Amino acid sequence: MKQDFSRSGAAAQRKTVFVALLLPSIVVICVSASFAQTKPGQRAHASMSPEAKALLEQAIGVVCTQAKLDPKSSIAIDEMQARPSLPIHSPEARAGAERAQRLLPVAKELVINSLRQLSTEYGVRKSRYFNLRLTQAIARVNSVRRVRPDMDSRDNASVYLSRPHVITFGTIFLAGLRSDEGMISVLAHELMHIADGDNDSLRTLVRAVGNRASDLTGLDIHGQRSEEVTCDLIGAMAARAYIVNSPDYESIARRLARSVQHNCVDLDEGDEDHLSPRNTIRALLALNPGLVRELINDRF
Ligand SMILES: [Zn+2]
């Protein structure tokens, strides 16, 4: 059994335990780089140059500055946590729920493409066994039908694997993601949990992403943290593809920033299963240097 709520720190952890006690039978799960050639069985140890680290920090600055300037920026998780619960029928929660449901079909398609792309990049598609698992994972993503708004879930989104066709979404979170880009990113994160399923079907890929993120950042990204980072990476990839497919008058950087912006917290706390929010952005950008370039080079 796996348990996870996708977004928050300590508050979510407490809530996860609470749900586990009440519903012991329900399984719950809660957002490119080149590789050195290695011999079979040997892992490439990637690292970042001081220059690359400086650019990454600059890109985080862009994301979190846009959080203050952009009227459609995503609210930071710690700020969401501090807000009172929002009734399902409040205008903000309804607007968020409609946005999520409208974007669900697009998010599914983008997740499937991103998952195929990531699997190819990490070299795991050479395995017939993995390809079979990938086909099953894609079928699970395709079978998701509905977003269920839930007042008690507050600033979390989650997937109950006993009901794999539904993504449960806290009303505060629905209201706090004020853009299509932010919403696609979180929907894609949850869909990636569904893709991985209750048997960690995609563990070969998840482990490879976690190892690479650990090497690049020096952070401990193993176990459930690998899955969370992979879900976030798929979320960022899906949001980027959405932006490319739907050009508008807004800058690319501003739109990209929305896909990770909910992590621009003041209170930066992680837990055993999640990196802290700001380290989540750090890991994502380390794994995806193209995003760093686009965030820094694009004008607002
Ligand atoms: Zn998650």
Side-chain angles (χ1 to χ4, degrees), residues 68-279:
K68 298 188 181 83
L69 301 176
D70 177 6
K72 290 206 243 171
S73 65
S74 300
I75 310 287
I77 294 163
D78 56 346
E79 201 183 324
M80 288 193 214
Q81 279 178 6
R83 294 189 172 190
S85 290
L86 200 56
I88 284 183
H89 295 295
S90 66
E92 303 96 312
R94 284 176 81 141
E98 281 166 22
R99 184 196 299 282
Q101 191 64 47
R102 168 174 60 82
L103 291 171
L104 181 60
V106 183
K108 285 160 57 176
E109 197 178 316
L110 294 172
V111 163
I112 290 165
N113 292 343
S114 302
L115 193 46
R116 287 194 174 118
Q117 184 189 327
L118 198 64
S119 302
T120 303
E121 282 176 14
Y122 278 75
V124 289
R125 291 186 84 173
K126 292 171 197 150
S127 151
R128 274 177 61 193
Y129 178 77
F130 182 86
N131 283 325
L132 176 64
R133 296 297 165 129
L134 183 60
T135 303
Q136 292 164 341
I138 288 169
R140 280 192 289 276
V141 171
N142 272 325
S143 71
V144 177
R145 292 282 168 263
R146 195 165 75 84
V147 172
R148 184 177 75 90
D150 178 39
M151 190 168 163
D152 293 336
S153 293
R154 291 182 48 80
D155 58 315
N156 295 290
S158 50
V159 178
Y160 293 69
L161 288 182
S162 55
R163 283 184 290 161
H165 312 301
V166 179
I167 295 172
T168 300
F169 226 117
T171 46
I172 295 176
F173 209 9
L174 283 171
L177 300 167
R178 299 181 292 189
S179 66
D180 286 1
E181 295 82 5
M183 188 61 78
I184 291 263
S185 160
V186 172
L187 284 173
H189 177 112
E190 298 305 323
L191 289 168
M192 178 60 200
H193 279 306
I194 291 174
D196 195 41
D198 51 4
N199 288 319
D200 295 331
S201 302
L202 304 176
R203 72 177 75 88
T204 317
L205 174 65
V206 166
R207 206 179 288 143
V209 171
N211 285 340
R212 184 162 177 79
S214 292
D215 290 346
L216 288 169
T217 61
L219 298 164
D220 175 18
I221 309 175
H222 298 99
Q224 184 62 26
R225 283 184 172 188
S226 302
E227 182 170 331
E228 295 303 328
V229 164
T230 307
C231 291
D232 280 326
L233 181 59
I234 291 285
M237 291 170 72
R240 188 186 176 280
Y242 176 75
I243 291 164
V244 170
N245 294 341
S246 60
D248 71 10
Y249 61 90
E250 293 179 301
S251 83
I252 300 274
R254 171 167 278 192
R255 298 181 71 195
L256 282 175
R258 292 170 183 160
S259 67
V260 290
Q261 211 151 46
H262 48 278
N263 295 302
C264 290
V265 294
D266 290 325
L267 187 65
D268 193 30
E269 291 177 347
D271 58 42
E272 200 179 324
D273 291 345
H274 300 79
L275 289 171
S276 77
R278 282 180 179 270
N279 277 340

Side-chain angles (χ1 to χ4, degrees), residues 1-69:
M1 178 193 267
K2 289 189 299 187
Q3 293 226 351
D4 163 62
F5 283 83
S6 70
R7 291 292 148 186
S8 317
Q13 204 177 10
R14 280 198 298 278
K15 207 180 306 176
T16 304
V17 171
F18 177 64
V19 171
L21 289 172
L22 280 181
L23 305 168
S25 63
I26 293 178
V27 180
V28 184
I29 352 184
C30 59
V31 187
S32 77
S34 59
F35 295 85
Q37 289 293 315
T38 53
K39 292 174 189 161
Q42 195 179 37
R43 181 154 70 84
H45 286 274
S47 61
M48 290 177 76
S49 67
E51 293 77 15
K53 282 183 186 164
L55 287 176
L56 189 151
E57 293 301 322
Q58 199 183 325
I60 295 175
V62 171
V63 170
C64 296
T65 302
Q66 280 299 312
K68 298 188 181 83
L69 301 176

